[in-house]
């Protein structure tokens, strides 16, 4: 099984876990604050549904070669989330299911020869179509955590944690001037160490941060305050928001 198909299957499994958890809520609980500042749980669910459709646009672009942006524009994206946030639970669930079905169909319809085709994500990032299921998986898993309903970074599947750590370290943190040189260790000694952040100056030593992969991912994504991590050669750096 290719990485693309494996990630697409993982999206289905993560979506099923999310739907099962959300189905146990009620209308009133959707109006409660989520773990994301300024968003209720309803905002998170509305975003998840619209993100599925946005990624369908990118998969369609890769399949047809006809440019189809994720969203019309940032203002429209934000307005749709605000519009849909206060819907009843049953409407949210139906939207989550049907948008997930559209994503699964679009992912399945993409021919193997189109996997290297590059599309443009929100923010101008270029991405091969092969990476879109992993992008969707991150949305489903991390926003499940953001709902604040008992699913935490410690519950994230190990395969997802590892793939997301690799992606973040390579594409979101490497070389950034606003992030100090980091040495991220997930095991004793030098057996599992990765470097990211801006390059270290000749007289500068990277800040070593040690902890489990899940604890590191929680910190890097802003889902935790760094609990469970150690920083033997300095203070745990304050990271900029991923946005």
């Amino acid at each position: 099984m290719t990485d693309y198909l494996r990630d697409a299957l993982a999206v289905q499994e993560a979506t099923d876990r999310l739907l099962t958890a959300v189905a146990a809520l009620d209308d009133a609980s959707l109006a409660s604050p989520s773990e994301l500042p300024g968003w209720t749980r309803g905002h998170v669910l509305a975003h998840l549904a619209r993100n599925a459709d946005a990624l369908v646009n990118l998969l369609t672009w890769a399949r047809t070669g006809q440019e189809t942006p994720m969203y019309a524009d940032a203002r429209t994206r934000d307005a749709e989330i605000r519009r849909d946030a206060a819907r009843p639970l049953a409407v949210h669930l139906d939207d989550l299911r049907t948008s997930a079905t559209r994503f699964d169909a679009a992912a399945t319809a993409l021919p193997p020869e189109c996997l290297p085709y590059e599309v443009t994500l929100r923010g101008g990032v270029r991405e091969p179509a092969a990476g879109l299921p992993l992008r969707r998986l991150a949305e489903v898993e991390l926003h499940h955590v953001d709902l604040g309903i008992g699913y935490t970074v410690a519950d994230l599947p190990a395969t997802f944690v590892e793939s997301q750590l690799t992606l973040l370290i390579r594409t979101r943190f490497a070389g950034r001037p606003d992030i100090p040189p980091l040495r991220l260790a997930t095991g004793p000694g030098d057996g599992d160490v990765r470097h990211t952040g801006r390059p270290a100056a000749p007289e500068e030593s990277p800040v070593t941060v040690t902890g489990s992969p899940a604890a590191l991912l929680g910190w890097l994504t802003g889902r935790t305050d760094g609990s469970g991590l150690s920083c033997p050669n300095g203070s745990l750096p304050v990271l900029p928001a991923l946005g």
Side-chain angles (χ1 to χ4, degrees), residues 158-175:
T159 52
F160 166 73
V161 170
E162 181 57 38
S163 63
Q164 193 64 17
L165 268 180
T166 299
L167 182 67
L168 284 175
I169 289 168
R170 176 173 54 85
T171 66
R172 301 296 296 274
F173 289 96

Side-chain angles (χ1 to χ4, degrees), residues 33-142:
S34 73
E35 300 296 323
L36 295 176
W39 273 16
T40 66
R41 289 171 179 150
H43 284 87
V44 175
L45 298 182
H47 164 62
L48 277 168
R50 298 290 68 77
N51 172 265
D53 287 335
L55 290 173
V56 168
N57 288 341
L58 296 185
L59 288 164
T60 302
W61 179 358
R63 179 173 55 82
T64 65
Q66 182 173 351
E67 183 172 351
T68 313
M70 286 187 74
Y71 302 98
D73 52 55
R75 181 175 297 180
T76 300
R77 169 191 176 272
D78 295 345
E80 289 179 343
I81 293 171
R82 289 194 300 270
R83 177 198 67 198
D84 294 341
R87 298 178 300 180
L89 174 63
V91 179
H92 274 296
L93 284 169
D94 181 67
D95 194 14
L96 287 168
R97 290 191 188 99
T98 56
S99 60
T101 298
R102 289 191 292 270
F103 175 84
D104 293 341
T108 300
L110 190 68
E113 61 269 22
C114 293
L115 293 177
Y117 190 98
E118 287 195 348
V119 294
T120 304
L121 280 70
R122 182 169 172 257
V125 176
R126 298 286 291 176
E127 174 91 358
L132 295 178
L134 184 56
R135 294 282 183 175
R136 177 59 181 172
L137 182 60
E139 292 286 329
V140 176
E141 290 285 17
L142 294 178

